[in-house]
Amino acid sequence: MADQKIYQASTTAPVNIAVVKYWGKRDPKLNLPQLLNLSNSLQADLRTHTTAACSASFPASDSLLLNSSPQDVTGARTQACFRELRSLRAALEASDSSLPELSTLPLKIVSENNFPTAAGLASSAAGFAALVRAIANLYELSSSPTELSRIARQGSGSACRSLFGGYVAWQMGTKDDGSDSLAVEVAPASHWPTMRALILVASAKQKKVSSTSGMQTTVATSELFQRRAEIVVPKHMKEMEKAIKEKDFEAFGRVTMMESNSFHSTCSDTFPPIRYMNDVSWAAVGVVEDINRKAGKIVAAYTFDAGPNAVIYYEEANTDIVAGVVKGALGSVSGWESRDIKPQASDVLDAADV
Ligand code: DP6
């Protein structure tokens, strides 16, 4: 009788928020980006926890449960991740006959997000990164996070950055097979221990325009995007890497906000236009501007991905004049309420749907 043993491994991966945004693919199948980009992972608080298991005793087809509901695993993105990981395991098994043959067994994956799924909080990034890392652990692969980023990228582009914590750049690469389009660490989170982020959940609804279809329409129709690709992003990448290296919050904040503005401008310039930010998002921009005006310098920086939720960066020393003021000010904007405030890490401020 075949071995009925259940093999399993668990891991977590953090949500990452781009401070220099990825938008546009030069290869939609391999998720190869048109632009270099850089993110900051939001440690510990916002994450996907995933367990991967395999056994001859499982039903024959692979399965994935996300927050207790069954997900389709037959899509090309998930299949690409499974295929790549199985082939790495098969190569290991071929080189060492004492290893159990796990590469042919059905997989059962169980994932939990502790934040709203698909509402512009990079759920697919943490999700695919955790899935890839969990299966790599199950298969006892010795691959580095950068090597695994090549696989996670095929699940969701931004997922390649969630294999790391801290500050991570996703290199465009030049090869057609995507083998050099990888995530690399710019600095670990410990490099800038006073950095804080506050998450403002303006809506937990699923976004209307998915990143994939949105970015393809932008590339096809927005002339502003051309300028962004040729001039704006290369400049912002250089400035951002320098700001992080020097722990220069004013420079970090300025580039973060200008990047967010540039990205959402290309969304508006898309035909038909894409609108991810809503009135509550703009209220958050106003509050950050007021805070910075009062402080006489940039002490808070907003950024928005493909959804209305804001991430506001600040340094620990400015907690009262940033996080305190944001919570106070937005508390009076209809629809907002605060929840689960943890001063040491990423805070989550929740709001009813608007
Ligand atoms: C605005 O990684 O979700 O958050 O590769 O199609 O899965 P796919 O797109 P996705 O796009 C993220 C876009 C962004 C910016 C960013 O995270 O860099």
Side-chain angles (χ1 to χ4, degrees), residues 227-245:
R227 186 180 162 79
R228 177 163 161 74
E230 283 158 24
I231 299 171
V232 179
V233 168
K235 180 167 165 276
H236 283 169
M237 269 311 276
K238 253 197 217 128
E239 291 172 350
M240 184 56 84
E241 285 188 284
K242 183 166 181 282
I244 292 168
K245 215 169 126 219

Side-chain angles (χ1 to χ4, degrees), residues 309-333:
N309 304 317
V311 175
I312 295 174
Y313 288 104
Y314 59 96
E315 285 191 289
E316 190 181 13
N318 295 322
T319 301
D320 290 349
I321 59 167
V322 179
V325 171
V326 168
K327 286 168 201 165
L330 291 177
S332 63
V333 172

Side-chain angles (χ1 to χ4, degrees), residues 18 21-23 25 31 77 124 156-158 161 211-212 215 263 305-306:
K21 311 285 187 195
Y22 147 59
W23 200 249
K25 303 174 202 256
N31 282 340
R77 292 166 167 233
S124 63
S156 177
S158 53
R161 300 182 311 230
S211 314
T212 306
M215 63 178 83
F263 160 54
D305 276 344

Side-chain angles (χ1 to χ4, degrees), residues 8 14 45-46 103 118 160 200 202-203 214 233 236 274 290 305-308:
Q8 74 172 56
D45 273 33
L46 301 185
S103 57
C160 69
L200 304 174
S203 169
V233 168
H236 283 169
I274 304 170
D290 280 350
D305 276 344

